[in-house]
Amino acid sequence: MEQFETVVLTKQKRIAEIAKEHKGESLKSLAHYIDLKWLYVAYKRTRRDGSPGIDGFTAEEYGKDLKGNLERLLAEFKSGKYKAPAVKRIFIPKGNSNEKRALGLPTFEDKILQRAVLMILEPVFEEYFYSFSHGFRPNHSAHLALDEFWLRSHKMKGGWLIDLDIRKYFDTIDHKLLKEMVLDRVCDGVITRILGKWLKAGVFEDGNVKRSKVGTPQGGVISPLLSNLFLHVVLDEWFVETVKPRLKEDAFMVRYADDALLMFKNKEDAFKVYSVIHKRFQKFGLELHPEKTRIIDFRNPVKGKKKQETCNFLGFTHFWKKSYKSGQFIVAKTTSKERYTRSLQAVNLWCNKHRHWKIIDQWMYLKRMLLGHYGYYGVIGNMRKISSFRYFVIRIWFKWLKRRSRLRDLNWERFNKMLLRYQLPLPRIIHTANIAKL
């Protein structure tokens, strides 16, 4: 299998070279790179712990005759006989409310094929995507997007921000326009045919298959790339090629999937772009939230200025504050109020539902949850917030343990002794600004 990985990486490098050499042209011959070795690697890279799709096949069952299944899948894919199955839709609780969140469950075999096609298309589109787009891309991350916003805000010394909020973006992407965008860069018939099948497959819900002319495949491995391509054309290219050349002063943009911030040095530039950006999105069948999409005065604070505005981006609230070391104003970030509250509500709900579990099992879960929280929110300047989060997790745990019939007499003294045995991880800073990658 390691040998197969090397073969695939070599092919991907070649695809990237071809895409670079023929930038601006639509590539016609890509599907031939997908062979049995390619599918083996796609299988290896596909998660095998997910719930089964509408066919009911688990990864374990599929793997019992892996060679035979992959040979059949390859033949059906190349001949055009492959039928994209509908995505099974289920609903899970959303946070601590009565609302439900929809999840899409493709079949395991469909995930393998989507992974294989993604491995073909990624090297092609990476030649087109801009460096300020960080969502669901190789060698990019949410924290790299946060670092870029921090760095460029300091260089510009703040400015006027357009904070974009796209309504139901992933559910409203127009299939016809998306196909045209793909064809501008890839016109291999085998690839475009399978993409069309995935877009038409629909979702299976309440015993029926529901199809739509908008939206990317729910839960699909290929969906993040397609949604990135759509916004690349709608927003990124427009900003770089049309907007920036017409501005009076400097501007920059940072995007992670459908979350984007546009900063302008000049106030007039910002308001001019804001006046036309709604129409730009409407042209492609997208809608910006009229209240949540707004202009923010995010300039470096000066004497006599009124209370400064803040902005939320990728789960953090960003604001200017005076550095204790230098005395200069810097951009700081802390866990946003909404994310903080939502996370604690999730802990409260979990502890309530699982309060009769063994103490050691509860401790193992809370330990993993806290480490995951630190892993994302453990950034420089956010120690107070993640420490506060740990403090309230402990209080929530105590509250629900006390409701167990055998622990009704639990007090803080006994609980603190228990915490010495079942220690919850202390908060720590995980992320420092990764400027070298920008």
Side-chain angles (χ1 to χ4, degrees):
M1 193 68 79
E2 290 182 7
Q3 185 182 359
F4 293 173
E5 284 276 3
T6 303
V7 171
V8 167
L9 289 173
T10 303
K11 287 182 177 181
Q12 287 182 311
K13 287 180 181 177
R14 179 56 188 151
I15 294 169
E17 290 170 2
I18 293 171
K20 193 171 185 178
E21 290 169 9
H22 299 274
K23 197 169 184 177
E25 300 177 29
S26 188
L27 304 184
K28 300 177 181 178
S29 182
L30 291 172
H32 70 275
Y33 286 103
I34 299 180
D35 55 15
L36 199 57
K37 292 178 182 178
W38 192 281
L39 286 182
Y40 267 114
V41 175
Y43 165 80
K44 185 181 177 183
R45 295 182 183 180
T46 301
R47 285 184 58 183
R48 291 185 277 280
D49 58 351
S51 300
I54 60 171
D55 62 355
F57 269 88
T58 63
E60 184 181 356
E61 291 171 322
Y62 193 86
K64 288 179 181 178
D65 183 21
L66 182 60
K67 187 174 184 293
N69 285 329
L70 293 183
E71 285 176 344
R72 174 186 49 77
L73 177 60
L74 181 63
E76 290 181 358
F77 166 65
K78 291 291 182 75
S79 65
K81 293 180 180 179
Y82 180 79
K83 294 182 180 179
V87 175
K88 181 180 177 181
R89 179 183 280 172
I90 62 171
F91 293 89
I92 61 172
K94 188 176 181 180
N96 199 28
S97 65
N98 295 323
E99 295 181 32
K100 299 283 186 179
R101 183 163 65 95
L103 283 183
L105 301 176
T107 64
F108 182 71
E109 183 171 77
D110 205 46
K111 289 179 185 177
I112 295 172
L113 189 55
Q114 286 196 32
R115 175 70 63 186
V117 173
L118 175 67
M119 287 155 53
I120 281 281
L121 294 180
E122 218 166 42
V124 176
F125 290 112
E126 280 298 307
E127 292 299 320
Y128 290 91
F129 292 158
Y130 293 107
S131 61
F132 57 73
S133 169
H134 297 280
F136 310 113
R137 293 177 57 194
N139 303 316
H140 289 261
S141 67
H143 284 94
L144 200 58
L146 291 165
D147 290 343
E148 180 166 2
F149 177 70
W150 178 87
L151 178 64
R152 302 195 72 170
S153 297
H154 280 89
K155 283 186 176 180
M156 189 182 280
K157 296 182 180 179
W160 298 86
L161 267 179
I162 296 180
D163 183 4
L164 293 183
D165 187 282
I166 309 172
R167 276 184 167 171
K168 297 182 179 179
Y169 171 62
F170 299 100
D171 297 329
T172 55
I173 295 175
D174 186 280
H175 290 176
K176 184 180 178 182
L177 293 174
L178 178 58
K179 290 176 187 176
E180 291 173 0
M181 293 173 187
V182 172
L183 284 170
D184 282 342
R185 293 156 176 85
V186 175
C187 58
D188 182 303
V190 179
I191 299 293
T192 55
R193 180 172 58 210
I194 192 63
L195 289 175
K197 288 181 178 181
W198 282 325
L199 292 173
K200 292 178 182 177
V203 295
F204 182 80
E205 184 183 351
D206 298 328
N208 297 308
V209 176
K210 300 177 182 178
R211 293 182 171 87
S212 173
K213 294 182 180 180
V214 294
T216 52
Q218 279 198 352
V221 178
I222 199 73
S223 297
L225 176 69
L226 297 177
S227 58
N228 250 346
L229 171 62
F230 201 82
L231 264 190
H232 170 78
V233 176
V234 175
L235 181 60
D236 302 358
E237 282 188 342
W238 175 70
F239 179 75
V240 172
E241 298 175 10
T242 304
V243 173
K244 286 194 76 174
R246 291 171 169 79
L247 300 179
K248 293 180 179 179
E249 295 186 66
D250 193 20
F252 72 85
M253 172 182 158
V254 179
R255 180 169 72 82
Y256 186 89
D258 61 331
D259 289 328
L261 294 175
L262 287 67
M263 183 177 280
F264 303 83
K265 185 68 176 175
N266 185 282
K267 180 179 179 180
E268 187 179 340
D269 286 339
F271 277 86
K272 278 186 177 179
V273 173
Y274 183 76
S275 68
V276 298
I277 200 166
H278 287 265
K279 291 181 180 179
R280 172 69 183 178
F281 276 76
Q282 287 170 5
K283 180 181 176 181
F284 292 87
L286 301 176
E287 184 184 1
L288 294 176
H289 197 291
E291 296 174 0
K292 294 181 180 179
T293 298
R294 60 196 182 106
I295 291 186
I296 300 168
D297 181 356
F298 202 71
R299 290 173 296 169
N300 190 326
V302 293
K303 287 184 179 180
K305 183 184 173 183
K306 294 180 180 179
K307 185 179 179 180
Q308 62 167 306
E309 295 184 66
T310 63
C311 76
N312 290 326
F313 184 52
L314 299 180
F316 290 90
T317 297
H318 303 258
F319 57 97
W320 287 94
K321 78 167 195 176
K322 190 171 283 189
S323 169
Y324 295 115
K325 292 183 179 179
S326 66
Q328 302 294 318
F329 279 102
I330 60 169
V331 175
K333 54 182 174 284
T334 186
T335 312
S336 71
K337 184 178 179 180
E338 180 186 356
R339 291 286 186 92
Y340 183 82
T341 303
R342 191 194 309 169
S343 297
L344 284 178
Q345 286 176 341
V347 173
N348 187 66
L349 182 64
W350 189 91
C351 287
N352 179 10
K353 287 186 175 181
H354 302 88
R355 63 184 182 272
H356 296 298
W357 276 20
K358 292 180 180 179
I359 301 293
I360 190 170
D361 293 331
Q362 293 187 43
W363 169 69
M364 289 293 289
Y365 173 84
L366 292 174
K367 182 180 176 181
R368 289 196 303 270
M369 183 275 304
L370 278 172
L371 289 174
H373 190 84
Y374 303 155
Y376 187 79
Y377 293 103
V379 301
I380 292 176
N382 200 33
M383 177 58 83
R384 180 180 295 178
K385 205 73 172 182
I386 60 175
S387 298
S388 168
F389 184 80
R390 179 181 182 272
Y391 169 80
F392 282 109
V393 166
I394 290 172
R395 295 188 71 85
I396 290 169
W397 194 19
F398 172 77
K399 178 183 78 172
W400 290 111
L401 282 180
K402 197 171 171 61
R403 281 163 172 73
R404 290 171 61 149
S405 57
R406 294 183 180 180
L407 291 174
R408 292 192 185 278
D409 60 343
L410 181 68
N411 56 35
W412 276 103
E413 184 178 355
R414 284 180 59 197
F415 182 67
N416 285 328
K417 287 180 180 178
M418 188 193 82
L419 287 178
L420 293 175
R421 182 179 179 184
Y422 300 105
Q423 295 184 28
L424 292 174
L426 295 172
R428 59 195 182 102
I429 301 301
I430 306 294
H431 300 278
T432 55
N434 200 346
I435 306 302
K437 287 188 176 182
L438 298 175

